[in-house]
Amino acid sequence: MLDIIQIPVLNDNYIYLLHDPASKETAVVDPALASPVLERLDQQGWKLNYIFNTHHHQDHVGGNLELKTQTGCRIIGAYKDRQRIPGIDKTVAQSEWIKLGEVKLQVMETPGHTSGHIVYHAIEDRLLFCGDTLFAMGCGRLFEGTAEQLWNSLKLLRDLPDETKVYCAHEYTLNNGRFALTVEPDNQDLVHRLLKVEDLRKVNAPTIPSTIGLEKKTNPFFRADKPSLQTSVGRECESSLSIFTRLRAMKDKF
């Protein structure tokens, strides 16, 4: 099992340090900044071997070059994003595998938020590092891709095992939950979850990781094809894609 350290940075970003105790190899997912990562590496006595980037936005790659200079690590990112990932050494695409020590992670292409977005899925450990494609009770904005692409990407992630832990890149859960409640006010799973989230955020505690199973019960963007949500928004006769597109537009204005 990987050791995982969650590092909050900027206003609401999370950086993840992944360490394989058997091999002593370490990776960092989406380092927005270098200094907090270097500090934690020093505290743990770990050497950084890899950077795993999900996409090219600055708050996910901002620490790439300094970390590479300081540690000699290798940077892995999407082939489709190779021109926009600073310092990239190795490109990956759909269904390819990378290894951190003996831990295997499968790459999944999830366009929508950006055209080249990927996620990393450690199948045996049931871990998902999903960048800005999926959030707790939410999903990424459409900056480059289409609503159809993002909806298909989310359905791909929704099919993962329920117990898969979801490590997304932002602490958006409270706002996402409040929006979700406007869409499904009678969803009791959502009501109970939001109460727990409110308690966590009162003491500035993280609400991440989530799980795929919990998202299937409470995330409206996972539920656009569910009759209960369609009834709630009064759109029973519309396609799932149309409802998803409407939900994303509504959230943009929330």
Side-chain angles (χ1 to χ4, degrees):
M1 293 290 292
L2 291 174
D3 294 330
I4 302 173
I5 293 179
Q6 187 174 28
I7 307 173
V9 298
L10 303 176
N11 291 326
D12 48 43
N13 279 73
Y14 287 125
I15 300 171
Y16 298 104
L17 272 180
L18 318 181
H19 181 74
D20 174 38
S23 66
K24 309 300 184 186
E25 286 194 345
T26 304
V28 63
V29 182
D30 286 346
L33 303 170
S35 56
V37 176
L38 292 169
E39 181 179 340
R40 292 306 296 266
L41 289 167
D42 184 60
Q43 290 174 359
Q44 299 296 136
W46 295 347
K47 172 180 168 53
L48 187 65
N49 302 97
Y50 302 103
I51 292 173
F52 299 157
N53 285 137
T54 62
H55 63 295
H56 70 278
H57 285 164
Q58 183 66 18
D59 63 330
H60 294 255
V61 302
N64 275 21
L65 296 181
E66 184 177 349
L67 286 171
K68 186 173 182 177
T69 297
Q70 294 290 332
T71 69
C73 66
R74 300 188 73 218
I75 299 175
I76 298 174
Y79 175 80
K80 293 178 180 178
D81 235 3
R82 65 192 183 280
Q83 303 297 331
R84 303 191 290 184
I85 302 289
I88 193 167
D89 296 296
K90 176 180 172 62
T91 62
V92 290
Q94 174 68 31
S95 299
E96 290 187 358
W97 295 85
I98 58 175
K99 292 183 72 176
L100 180 62
E102 295 305 310
V103 178
K104 295 173 64 178
L105 298 98
Q106 186 179 41
V107 174
M108 304 168 70
E109 293 183 354
T110 57
H113 177 66
T114 65
S115 58
H117 201 296
I118 60 175
V119 304
Y120 299 89
H121 178 213
I123 294 178
E124 292 185 3
D125 284 8
R126 302 291 173 91
L127 307 172
L128 177 68
F129 300 94
C130 54
D132 287 359
T133 294
L134 171 66
F135 297 126
M137 293 189 281
C139 70
R141 286 177 177 263
L142 291 166
F143 285 121
E144 296 176 357
T146 66
E148 183 174 14
Q149 284 180 316
L150 186 54
W151 174 229
N152 288 334
S153 295
L154 291 173
K155 287 190 290 183
L156 187 69
L157 300 184
R158 190 178 65 177
D159 286 341
L160 298 178
D162 283 358
E163 61 269 29
T164 303
K165 290 184 178 181
V166 176
Y167 290 89
C168 59
H170 290 275
E171 182 56 69
Y172 291 161
T173 314
L174 182 58
N175 182 264
N176 286 345
R178 288 171 175 168
F179 169 74
L181 200 60
T182 69
V183 176
E184 282 193 290
D186 297 324
N187 182 335
Q188 292 305 304
D189 291 317
L190 174 58
V191 171
H192 294 318
R193 185 180 184 186
L194 186 55
L195 289 173
K196 292 179 181 179
V197 167
E198 288 173 340
D199 287 342
L200 288 170
R201 295 313 294 159
K202 285 176 184 177
V203 294
N204 204 34
T207 63
I208 310 300
S210 177
T211 66
I212 291 294
L214 186 56
E215 294 309 310
K216 286 164 68 172
K217 293 178 180 178
T218 60
N219 189 329
F221 298 102
F222 261 12
R223 297 169 57 78
D225 56 357
K226 303 304 179 186
S228 58
L229 183 140
Q230 294 172 347
T231 299
S232 180
V233 298
R235 300 290 175 180
E236 296 93 334
C237 297
E238 292 189 16
S239 69
S240 300
L241 175 58
S242 176
I243 291 172
F244 174 81
T245 304
R246 185 182 300 276
L247 288 173
R248 185 59 264 179
M250 290 168 60
K251 180 60 170 67
D252 288 344
K253 299 175 182 178
F254 183 74

